[in-house]
Amino acid sequence: MRSRLEARWAAFFDALNWQWEYEPVDLAGYIPDFIVRFEAGDVLIEVKPREEELELAKSKIECGGWEREALI
């Protein structure tokens, strides 16, 4: 993992028994932090430490072509 924050989120997903993958895909030059796999569909998860980074993350997800659920 690239940060302790990402590692903490991975541990949280494990505690919930969620199936997750770290940096699983390249979306038009953008690599999301996680994809969590659910029966209803995959959810992209981008981890950010500060609120100021939310808009940029949202833009990267939209420009990357992800068309399913995403959480920042």
Side-chain angles (χ1 to χ4, degrees), residues 6-61:
E6 291 173 345
R8 284 193 297 266
W9 277 99
F12 177 70
F13 301 151
D14 285 341
L16 294 173
N17 291 319
W18 287 359
Q19 181 184 359
W20 58 271
E21 294 178 50
Y22 180 70
E23 294 187 348
V25 295
D26 187 338
L27 302 173
Y30 159 67
I31 301 172
D33 293 327
F34 298 95
I35 290 183
V36 178
R37 309 268 182 212
F38 296 103
E39 276 188 41
D42 297 343
V43 177
L44 179 148
I45 298 182
E46 183 65 28
V47 175
K48 294 295 175 202
R50 292 181 296 279
E51 189 174 338
E52 298 82 32
E53 298 178 51
L54 297 179
E55 285 303 315
L56 179 58
K58 180 181 175 185
S59 176
K60 286 182 178 181
I61 292 167

Side-chain angles (χ1 to χ4, degrees), residues 58-72:
K58 180 181 175 185
S59 176
K60 286 182 178 181
I61 292 167
E62 290 171 350
C63 292
W66 185 258
E67 296 181 356
R68 293 176 234 147
E69 296 296 321
L71 295 172
I72 304 171

